Amino acid sequence: MKILLVYPETPPTYWSFKDALKFISKKAAEPPLGLITVAAMLPKDWEKKLIDMNVSKLKDEDLLWADYVFIGAMNVHLNSFREIVRRCNKLGIKVVAGGPLATTQFDDLLGVDHFILNEAEITLPMFLEDLEKGSPKQVYQSDEFPDISLTPVPLFELLDIKKYASMSVQYSRGCPYDCEFCSITMLNGRKPRTKSAEQFIRELNCLLELGYKGSISVVDDNFIGNKRKLKDEFLPALINWSREHNYIYNFITEVSINLADDDELMSMMIEAGFNSVFVGIETPNSDSLAECGKSQNLRRNLVDSVKKLQRAGFIVSGGFIVGFDNDTEKVFDEQFQFIQQSGITNAMVGLLNAPTGTKLYKRMKSEGRLLDMFSGNNMDASINFIPKMNYKTLIRGYSNLLHSIYSQKEYFRRVYEFLSEYRKPEWQSGKISLREIKAFLRLLWLLGIVERGKKYFWKLLFLTVFKYPEKFTTAMTLAVYGYHFRRVIRTV
């Protein structure tokens, strides 16, 4: 068999970091971990090629080479996914699809020969067995959650590693919390399942052998879902590995805000090489937090929790949502004030949506408020249900909020707030690479000369040089992110 694995093109979003990537001459932020993991589960004697449309073009000759085209996609990839399937149908190439998009919306996707739904560790072997017998079915699905300690090492060698800003690995799947709007527990369950420390380190060693150096994104639903196992088994092993390899990798991951309650866990994560976390803040409105079941964010001072993470050594990015039933017109100012006070520079604000199959989706359907298909794009200002707030008021307030927090004045003010709290991890090298020097020269040109409002950039540069010289690289990185965010919100 000849298998072509195709990852669809991601539209411009917060997470694409498309404009930021230009500074470091990279094509995409992260590789398609799901697809290269699936590739490792296919028979070893099959030929495999990968086309990530975010880093290279998909040509007809690539499609015609293949016996099957495997597409792995998230909801945000819907338009690109449909175009790939259309091209395959036109050329007579069979299509196999999986991932969150297929799992939640396969009834709406035409032209696909076989759907491998849920987690591939269970459903892919079913398909392969039937394929060998010559009688594959169209849909394979399961309500079981696999033991991921048996998942093979992803085929990182299929990637053109130099085109990515970071690599991706996974330690766990699932989240103990069950927020109404979130599809994680539906897809991966509430009981976190983990790989072994040895298994995770095997993947790091594989990346090391391929010559990769840089950032690694640990793409867990909630990295701290099983704190005891982290402290007793995983982090001690990763700390030893990171020390032995002179902290060649720094790690980024997603956590819940209650990480701030555990000093030991924060300290161990920093010592292991973690220096950046994404936290779902959602909203400072306690009624809206209660509405969506975000219990871990209630009964705490969220700003204090964020600052505690920053002082521990974490760069904190935050997810924010407007459009809850309990949101009033005051929410836009409340969100603005919170974001500014917290010093969360990368504040990713989206409209509330109801992903297919979530508790929110079911509630909106029962209340007769559900609209069309979920786009998965947090930057297209779409909403798939009828909000309680007047729609025009919601859209106007959302747009004003984005343009306020990402105005140069307010963004750089947030960077100052962050720098005043942030404590750089001791292991972080002060050495500047050739790539960073080139990125800095581009930064000086675009933000210091070409872009309007350049005075804010120069003020940050000089303040950092004289007041926080050890945080200079971090400050300049955040300046690049700000440039990306200003550009990505232009159409909102």
Side-chain angles (χ1 to χ4, degrees):
M1 283 285 185
K2 295 178 180 178
I3 305 299
L4 180 67
L5 302 111
V6 180
Y7 193 57
E9 186 174 2
T10 305
T13 67
Y14 290 122
W15 290 105
S16 70
F17 287 104
K18 198 166 185 178
D19 293 291
L21 292 170
K22 296 173 184 176
F23 288 87
I24 54 173
S25 302
K26 301 294 182 182
K27 293 287 188 180
E30 296 178 9
L33 181 64
L35 272 181
I36 59 174
T37 302
V38 165
M41 299 177 196
L42 296 175
K44 290 184 178 180
D45 59 342
W46 287 12
E47 290 186 64
K48 301 152 194 128
K49 292 182 182 178
L50 172 73
I51 299 289
D52 178 355
M53 294 179 67
N54 299 285
V55 303
S56 56
K57 290 184 178 180
L58 176 63
K59 301 174 183 176
D60 282 354
E61 61 194 67
D62 297 317
L63 297 172
L64 289 168
W65 169 86
D67 294 311
Y68 281 90
V69 169
F70 279 51
I71 311 174
M74 296 184 287
N75 299 80
V76 73
H77 295 126
L78 177 62
N79 291 336
S80 181
F81 176 94
R82 283 177 165 162
E83 176 60 18
I84 297 165
V85 173
R86 186 194 66 77
R87 290 176 63 184
C88 289
N89 294 163
K90 182 179 174 182
L91 295 170
I93 310 298
K94 291 185 177 181
V95 177
V96 179
L101 172 62
T103 297
T104 57
Q105 298 180 201
F106 71 95
D107 286 332
D108 301 309
L109 304 173
L110 302 177
V112 175
D113 296 278
H114 309 286
F115 287 103
I116 313 300
L117 308 182
N118 308 106
E119 295 180 61
E121 286 88 348
I122 291 178
T123 52
L124 183 60
M126 298 177 187
F127 166 69
L128 295 176
E129 185 178 347
D130 286 350
L131 185 63
E132 190 173 3
K133 293 176 183 175
S135 56
K137 295 182 292 188
Q138 186 183 23
V139 180
Y140 292 85
Q141 55 192 145
S142 173
D143 56 5
E144 295 179 45
F145 296 116
D147 177 0
I148 64 170
S149 68
L150 304 175
T151 301
V153 174
L155 293 187
F156 293 110
E157 56 267 34
L158 291 178
L159 302 172
D160 187 348
I161 285 179
K162 293 180 180 178
K163 291 184 178 179
Y164 296 93
S166 67
M167 284 290 106
S168 298
V169 294
Q170 187 178 55
Y171 167 64
S172 70
R173 291 182 202 161
C175 179
Y177 302 108
D178 194 17
C179 304
E180 186 185 39
F181 57 82
C182 186
S183 58
I184 286 171
T185 53
M186 174 187 68
L187 292 169
N188 293 334
R190 291 193 65 177
K191 184 178 180 181
R193 292 161 288 130
T194 71
K195 295 180 178 179
S196 67
E198 294 77 17
Q199 190 179 5
F200 187 91
I201 286 172
R202 228 175 8 251
E203 297 184 13
L204 297 185
N205 286 331
C206 180
L207 287 170
L208 203 60
E209 289 170 11
L210 290 170
Y212 177 72
K213 297 177 182 178
S215 298
I216 290 185
S217 180
V218 182
V219 296
D220 293 21
D221 306 315
N222 184 351
F223 179 72
I224 64 168
N226 187 333
K227 293 182 180 180
R228 182 45 51 200
K229 196 167 186 179
L230 278 178
K231 292 179 182 179
D232 291 348
E233 300 174 21
F234 180 77
L235 288 174
L238 184 56
I239 288 168
N240 288 335
W241 189 92
S242 292
R243 284 174 177 167
E244 287 172 7
H245 294 85
N246 200 27
Y247 290 91
I248 190 170
Y249 298 140
N250 63 278
F251 300 99
I252 306 160
T253 195
E254 182 171 341
V255 300
S256 42
I257 192 66
N258 56 320
L259 172 60
D261 304 334
D262 195 324
D263 292 341
E264 181 187 16
L265 184 55
M266 285 192 291
S267 177
M268 291 182 75
M269 283 180 65
I270 292 293
E271 196 175 356
F274 287 86
N275 70 335
S276 185
V277 292
F278 175 86
V279 181
I281 302 291
E282 318 316 350
T283 178
N285 182 342
S286 57
D287 291 335
S288 294
L289 288 173
E291 169 194 326
C292 70
K294 196 92 179 180
S295 58
Q296 65 272 31
N297 286 27
L298 289 166
R299 293 177 294 279
R300 68 168 65 240
N301 185 313
L302 285 167
V303 170
D304 286 352
S305 295
V306 169
K307 289 184 178 295
K308 191 173 180 183
L309 291 169
Q310 293 167 343
R311 287 193 293 270
F314 295 106
I315 300 170
V316 180
S317 300
F320 297 86
I321 296 173
V322 293
F324 291 107
D325 285 355
N326 281 284
D327 282 353
T328 67
E329 290 184 45
K330 294 180 181 178
V331 74
F332 305 110
D333 184 60
E334 291 169 349
Q335 290 276 26
F336 175 80
Q337 295 299 333
F338 178 91
I339 290 166
Q340 293 304 117
Q341 290 168 18
S342 67
I344 295 178
T345 53
N346 301 347
M348 302 175 181
V349 187
L351 289 172
L352 180 65
N353 271 273
T356 306
T358 59
K359 290 196 295 183
L360 179 60
Y361 179 92
K362 293 172 183 175
R363 179 164 73 85
M364 292 298 103
K365 190 173 183 179
S366 70
E367 294 177 7
R369 297 166 59 189
L370 199 63
L371 296 173
D372 55 6
M373 212 166 163
F374 172 57
S375 76
N377 189 335
N378 58 10
M379 288 309 303
D380 63 0
S382 65
I383 184 168
N384 71 335
F385 66 89
I386 300 170
K388 287 284 182 75
M389 189 186 299
N390 176 274
Y391 177 72
K392 291 181 180 179
T393 302
L394 176 60
I395 293 299
R396 184 172 60 250
Y398 172 59
S399 177
N400 289 340
L401 175 59
L402 284 184
H403 288 278
S404 295
I405 63 172
Y406 284 113
S407 69
Q408 286 171 300
K409 178 182 177 182
E410 301 301 345
Y411 180 78
F412 283 109
R413 183 177 291 175
R414 255 188 347 272
V415 175
Y416 304 148
E417 180 65 32
F418 165 74
L419 292 174
S420 70
E421 297 285 346
Y422 176 61
R423 190 186 73 183
K424 179 181 171 183
E426 291 180 5
W427 52 261
Q428 209 162 59
S429 171
K431 294 180 180 178
I432 299 176
S433 66
L434 179 61
R435 189 182 78 175
E436 288 172 328
I437 293 171
K438 290 179 179 178
F440 180 62
L441 293 175
R442 291 190 187 104
L443 182 65
L444 285 178
W445 171 251
L446 278 175
L447 274 70
I449 297 174
V450 175
E451 194 179 28
R452 291 181 180 179
K454 57 183 74 71
K455 65 179 182 181
Y456 297 107
F457 167 73
W458 287 110
K459 182 179 177 183
L460 173 66
L461 189 149
F462 287 115
L463 178 138
T464 310
V465 166
F466 291 108
K467 194 171 182 179
Y468 307 114
E470 76 284 3
K471 305 174 189 178
F472 183 77
T473 301
T474 301
M476 294 301 101
T477 300
L478 294 177
V480 170
Y481 289 167
Y483 176 79
H484 162 71
F485 292 132
R486 286 194 294 280
R487 293 178 69 81
V488 84
I489 68 163
R490 286 177 301 179
T491 57
V492 181

mmCIF file of all heavy atoms in Angstrom, residues 158-186:
data_model
loop_
_atom_site.group_PDB
_atom_site.id
_atom_site.type_symbol
_atom_site.label_atom_id
_atom_site.label_comp_id
_atom_site.label_asym_id
_atom_site.label_seq_id
_atom_site.Cartn_x
_atom_site.Cartn_y
_atom_site.Cartn_z
ATOM 1 N N LEU A 158 8.790 11.600 9.128
ATOM 2 C CA LEU A 158 7.983 12.016 7.980
ATOM 3 C C LEU A 158 7.932 13.535 7.841
ATOM 4 O O LEU A 158 7.542 14.051 6.793
ATOM 5 C CB LEU A 158 6.551 11.481 8.109
ATOM 6 C CG LEU A 158 6.339 9.965 7.982
ATOM 7 C CD1 LEU A 158 4.873 9.625 8.183
ATOM 8 C CD2 LEU A 158 6.834 9.455 6.637
ATOM 9 N N LEU A 159 8.313 14.243 8.899
ATOM 10 C CA LEU A 159 8.224 15.707 8.910
ATOM 11 C C LEU A 159 9.451 16.360 8.294
ATOM 12 O O LEU A 159 10.557 15.828 8.387
ATOM 13 C CB LEU A 159 8.096 16.214 10.354
ATOM 14 C CG LEU A 159 6.920 15.712 11.193
ATOM 15 C CD1 LEU A 159 7.101 16.170 12.636
ATOM 16 C CD2 LEU A 159 5.588 16.198 10.632
ATOM 17 N N ASP A 160 9.229 17.524 7.711
ATOM 18 C CA ASP A 160 10.334 18.405 7.352
ATOM 19 C C ASP A 160 10.532 19.324 8.565
ATOM 20 O O ASP A 160 9.979 20.419 8.641
ATOM 21 C CB ASP A 160 9.989 19.210 6.096
ATOM 22 C CG ASP A 160 11.184 20.015 5.587
ATOM 23 O OD1 ASP A 160 12.187 20.117 6.327
ATOM 24 O OD2 ASP A 160 11.106 20.538 4.468
ATOM 25 N N ILE A 161 11.300 18.833 9.521
ATOM 26 C CA ILE A 161 11.388 19.445 10.848
ATOM 27 C C ILE A 161 11.779 20.919 10.801
ATOM 28 O O ILE A 161 11.305 21.735 11.605
ATOM 29 C CB ILE A 161 12.357 18.635 11.745
ATOM 30 C CG1 ILE A 161 11.664 17.339 12.185
ATOM 31 C CG2 ILE A 161 12.784 19.429 12.974
ATOM 32 C CD1 ILE A 161 12.517 16.450 13.059
ATOM 33 N N LYS A 162 12.621 21.288 9.859
ATOM 34 C CA LYS A 162 13.126 22.661 9.798
ATOM 35 C C LYS A 162 12.040 23.692 9.499
ATOM 36 O O LYS A 162 12.264 24.895 9.696
ATOM 37 C CB LYS A 162 14.232 22.760 8.747
ATOM 38 C CG LYS A 162 15.492 21.987 9.119
ATOM 39 C CD LYS A 162 16.557 22.121 8.043
ATOM 40 C CE LYS A 162 17.813 21.339 8.412
ATOM 41 N NZ LYS A 162 18.858 21.426 7.354
ATOM 42 N N LYS A 163 10.877 23.232 9.040
ATOM 43 C CA LYS A 163 9.821 24.171 8.672
ATOM 44 C C LYS A 163 8.890 24.526 9.836
ATOM 45 O O LYS A 163 7.995 25.351 9.689
ATOM 46 C CB LYS A 163 9.000 23.602 7.507
ATOM 47 C CG LYS A 163 9.794 23.542 6.200
ATOM 48 C CD LYS A 163 8.937 23.066 5.039
ATOM 49 C CE LYS A 163 9.736 23.064 3.740
ATOM 50 N NZ LYS A 163 8.928 22.588 2.591
ATOM 51 N N TYR A 164 9.114 23.901 11.000
ATOM 52 C CA TYR A 164 8.226 24.116 12.146
ATOM 53 C C TYR A 164 8.911 24.919 13.255
ATOM 54 O O TYR A 164 10.095 24.729 13.513
ATOM 55 C CB TYR A 164 7.753 22.777 12.710
ATOM 56 C CG TYR A 164 6.903 21.991 11.735
ATOM 57 C CD1 TYR A 164 7.481 21.045 10.878
ATOM 58 C CD2 TYR A 164 5.531 22.211 11.646
ATOM 59 C CE1 TYR A 164 6.720 20.340 9.973
ATOM 60 C CE2 TYR A 164 4.763 21.496 10.740
ATOM 61 C CZ TYR A 164 5.350 20.571 9.911
ATOM 62 O OH TYR A 164 4.587 19.875 9.003
ATOM 63 N N ALA A 165 8.120 25.775 13.906
ATOM 64 C CA ALA A 165 8.648 26.571 15.015
ATOM 65 C C ALA A 165 8.832 25.728 16.264
ATOM 66 O O ALA A 165 9.676 26.024 17.110
ATOM 67 C CB ALA A 165 7.709 27.741 15.305
ATOM 68 N N SER A 166 8.019 24.684 16.409
ATOM 69 C CA SER A 166 8.149 23.783 17.557
ATOM 70 C C SER A 166 7.707 22.389 17.153
ATOM 71 O O SER A 166 7.062 22.205 16.121
ATOM 72 C CB SER A 166 7.310 24.281 18.743
ATOM 73 O OG SER A 166 5.924 24.201 18.449
ATOM 74 N N MET A 167 8.049 21.410 17.962
ATOM 75 C CA MET A 167 7.576 20.045 17.773
ATOM 76 C C MET A 167 6.464 19.759 18.783
ATOM 77 O O MET A 167 6.309 20.473 19.773
ATOM 78 C CB MET A 167 8.719 19.052 17.972
ATOM 79 C CG MET A 167 9.695 18.995 16.797
ATOM 80 S SD MET A 167 8.976 18.243 15.301
ATOM 81 C CE MET A 167 8.734 19.694 14.288
ATOM 82 N N SER A 168 5.690 18.705 18.530
ATOM 83 C CA SER A 168 4.597 18.331 19.426
ATOM 84 C C SER A 168 4.789 16.911 19.936
ATOM 85 O O SER A 168 5.166 16.021 19.178
ATOM 86 C CB SER A 168 3.247 18.417 18.701
ATOM 87 O OG SER A 168 2.972 19.727 18.281
ATOM 88 N N VAL A 169 4.518 16.730 21.219
ATOM 89 C CA VAL A 169 4.452 15.396 21.817
ATOM 90 C C VAL A 169 3.237 15.382 22.744
ATOM 91 O O VAL A 169 2.625 16.409 23.001
ATOM 92 C CB VAL A 169 5.735 15.050 22.618
ATOM 93 C CG1 VAL A 169 6.942 14.943 21.714
ATOM 94 C CG2 VAL A 169 5.972 16.075 23.714
ATOM 95 N N GLN A 170 2.891 14.187 23.223
ATOM 96 C CA GLN A 170 1.735 14.078 24.113
ATOM 97 C C GLN A 170 2.079 13.187 25.292
ATOM 98 O O GLN A 170 2.743 12.152 25.123
ATOM 99 C CB GLN A 170 0.542 13.499 23.346
ATOM 100 C CG GLN A 170 -0.763 13.497 24.134
ATOM 101 C CD GLN A 170 -1.918 12.963 23.314
ATOM 102 O OE1 GLN A 170 -1.861 11.860 22.776
ATOM 103 N NE2 GLN A 170 -2.976 13.741 23.195
ATOM 104 N N TYR A 171 1.626 13.614 26.479
ATOM 105 C CA TYR A 171 1.803 12.791 27.679
ATOM 106 C C TYR A 171 0.487 12.164 28.109
ATOM 107 O O TYR A 171 0.437 10.997 28.474
ATOM 108 C CB TYR A 171 2.397 13.632 28.807
ATOM 109 C CG TYR A 171 2.334 12.969 30.169
ATOM 110 C CD1 TYR A 171 3.039 11.791 30.413
ATOM 111 C CD2 TYR A 171 1.559 13.494 31.200
ATOM 112 C CE1 TYR A 171 2.983 11.154 31.647
ATOM 113 C CE2 TYR A 171 1.493 12.877 32.439
ATOM 114 C CZ TYR A 171 2.200 11.706 32.663
ATOM 115 O OH TYR A 171 2.136 11.080 33.887
ATOM 116 N N SER A 172 -0.606 12.936 28.052
ATOM 117 C CA SER A 172 -1.884 12.414 28.544
ATOM 118 C C SER A 172 -3.037 12.838 27.648
ATOM 119 O O SER A 172 -2.926 13.760 26.840
ATOM 120 C CB SER A 172 -2.138 12.907 29.971
ATOM 121 O OG SER A 172 -2.420 14.299 29.989
ATOM 122 N N ARG A 173 -4.155 12.132 27.790
ATOM 123 C CA ARG A 173 -5.411 12.513 27.148
ATOM 124 C C ARG A 173 -6.506 12.498 28.195
ATOM 125 O O ARG A 173 -6.525 11.664 29.092
ATOM 126 C CB ARG A 173 -5.783 11.530 26.023
ATOM 127 C CG ARG A 173 -4.885 11.571 24.820
ATOM 128 C CD ARG A 173 -5.359 10.605 23.731
ATOM 129 N NE ARG A 173 -4.248 10.270 22.835
ATOM 130 C CZ ARG A 173 -4.219 9.214 22.036
ATOM 131 N NH1 ARG A 173 -5.250 8.379 22.018
ATOM 132 N NH2 ARG A 173 -3.172 8.984 21.265
ATOM 133 N N GLY A 174 -7.458 13.440 28.050
ATOM 134 C CA GLY A 174 -8.573 13.528 28.987
ATOM 135 C C GLY A 174 -8.396 14.663 29.973
ATOM 136 O O GLY A 174 -7.292 15.173 30.166
ATOM 137 N N CYS A 175 -9.496 15.074 30.576
ATOM 138 C CA CYS A 175 -9.489 16.168 31.559
ATOM 139 C C CYS A 175 -10.502 15.872 32.653
ATOM 140 O O CYS A 175 -11.634 15.479 32.358
ATOM 141 C CB CYS A 175 -9.831 17.493 30.863
ATOM 142 S SG CYS A 175 -9.895 18.911 31.981
ATOM 143 N N PRO A 176 -10.124 16.059 33.922
ATOM 144 C CA PRO A 176 -11.056 15.757 35.019
ATOM 145 C C PRO A 176 -12.233 16.719 35.102
ATOM 146 O O PRO A 176 -13.220 16.437 35.778
ATOM 147 C CB PRO A 176 -10.166 15.855 36.270
ATOM 148 C CG PRO A 176 -9.037 16.747 35.870
ATOM 149 C CD PRO A 176 -8.800 16.482 34.420
ATOM 150 N N TYR A 177 -12.136 17.859 34.428
ATOM 151 C CA TYR A 177 -13.221 18.836 34.464
ATOM 152 C C TYR A 177 -14.148 18.636 33.268
ATOM 153 O O TYR A 177 -13.784 17.977 32.290
ATOM 154 C CB TYR A 177 -12.650 20.254 34.505
ATOM 155 C CG TYR A 177 -11.744 20.458 35.685
ATOM 156 C CD1 TYR A 177 -10.356 20.575 35.525
ATOM 157 C CD2 TYR A 177 -12.254 20.497 36.985
ATOM 158 C CE1 TYR A 177 -9.515 20.733 36.606
ATOM 159 C CE2 TYR A 177 -11.417 20.659 38.082
ATOM 160 C CZ TYR A 177 -10.050 20.771 37.887
ATOM 161 O OH TYR A 177 -9.222 20.922 38.964
ATOM 162 N N ASP A 178 -15.335 19.205 33.341
ATOM 163 C CA ASP A 178 -16.335 18.947 32.308
ATOM 164 C C ASP A 178 -17.082 20.233 31.964
ATOM 165 O O ASP A 178 -18.287 20.348 32.189
ATOM 166 C CB ASP A 178 -17.311 17.865 32.788
ATOM 167 C CG ASP A 178 -18.170 17.305 31.656
ATOM 168 O OD1 ASP A 178 -17.798 17.502 30.488
ATOM 169 O OD2 ASP A 178 -19.205 16.683 31.949
ATOM 170 N N CYS A 179 -16.370 21.209 31.407
ATOM 171 C CA CYS A 179 -16.977 22.494 31.068
ATOM 172 C C CYS A 179 -18.016 22.306 29.961
ATOM 173 O O CYS A 179 -17.806 21.536 29.021
ATOM 174 C CB CYS A 179 -15.897 23.475 30.618
ATOM 175 S SG CYS A 179 -14.570 23.696 31.841
ATOM 176 N N GLU A 180 -19.115 23.032 30.075
ATOM 177 C CA GLU A 180 -20.259 22.818 29.194
ATOM 178 C C GLU A 180 -19.925 22.990 27.723
ATOM 179 O O GLU A 180 -20.441 22.273 26.858
ATOM 180 C CB GLU A 180 -21.394 23.781 29.584
ATOM 181 C CG GLU A 180 -22.686 23.536 28.814
ATOM 182 C CD GLU A 180 -23.755 24.568 29.108
ATOM 183 O OE1 GLU A 180 -23.411 25.757 29.243
ATOM 184 O OE2 GLU A 180 -24.940 24.188 29.185
ATOM 185 N N PHE A 181 -19.042 23.930 27.404
ATOM 186 C CA PHE A 181 -18.744 24.263 26.010
ATOM 187 C C PHE A 181 -17.617 23.428 25.414
ATOM 188 O O PHE A 181 -17.307 23.550 24.230
ATOM 189 C CB PHE A 181 -18.352 25.743 25.888
ATOM 190 C CG PHE A 181 -17.174 26.112 26.750
ATOM 191 C CD1 PHE A 181 -15.884 25.862 26.340
ATOM 192 C CD2 PHE A 181 -17.370 26.697 27.993
ATOM 193 C CE1 PHE A 181 -14.799 26.182 27.150
ATOM 194 C CE2 PHE A 181 -16.299 27.023 28.807
ATOM 195 C CZ PHE A 181 -15.007 26.763 28.379
ATOM 196 N N CYS A 182 -16.982 22.590 26.203
ATOM 197 C CA CYS A 182 -15.744 21.921 25.789
ATOM 198 C C CYS A 182 -16.012 20.505 25.293
ATOM 199 O O CYS A 182 -16.781 19.755 25.901
ATOM 200 C CB CYS A 182 -14.767 21.903 26.956
ATOM 201 S SG CYS A 182 -13.152 21.245 26.508
ATOM 202 N N SER A 183 -15.329 20.125 24.212
ATOM 203 C CA SER A 183 -15.520 18.795 23.618
ATOM 204 C C SER A 183 -14.486 17.780 24.101
ATOM 205 O O SER A 183 -14.528 16.622 23.694
ATOM 206 C CB SER A 183 -15.460 18.898 22.091
ATOM 207 O OG SER A 183 -14.226 19.441 21.673
ATOM 208 N N ILE A 184 -13.583 18.190 24.982
ATOM 209 C CA ILE A 184 -12.496 17.302 25.400
ATOM 210 C C ILE A 184 -13.012 16.040 26.082
ATOM 211 O O ILE A 184 -12.604 14.925 25.745
ATOM 212 C CB ILE A 184 -11.503 18.045 26.317
ATOM 213 C CG1 ILE A 184 -10.645 19.007 25.494
ATOM 214 C CG2 ILE A 184 -10.600 17.062 27.068
ATOM 215 C CD1 ILE A 184 -9.796 19.935 26.326
ATOM 216 N N THR A 185 -13.918 16.197 27.052
ATOM 217 C CA THR A 185 -14.377 15.014 27.784
ATOM 218 C C THR A 185 -15.198 14.099 26.882
ATOM 219 O O THR A 185 -15.194 12.877 27.063
ATOM 220 C CB THR A 185 -15.190 15.409 29.025
ATOM 221 O OG1 THR A 185 -16.248 16.308 28.640
ATOM 222 C CG2 THR A 185 -14.311 16.112 30.044
ATOM 223 N N MET A 186 -15.911 14.674 25.923
ATOM 224 C CA MET A 186 -16.664 13.875 24.958
ATOM 225 C C MET A 186 -15.715 13.053 24.095
ATOM 226 O O MET A 186 -15.963 11.874 23.809
ATOM 227 C CB MET A 186 -17.516 14.806 24.097
ATOM 228 C CG MET A 186 -18.254 14.120 22.959
ATOM 229 S SD MET A 186 -19.060 15.330 21.906
ATOM 230 C CE MET A 186 -17.667 16.168 21.152
#
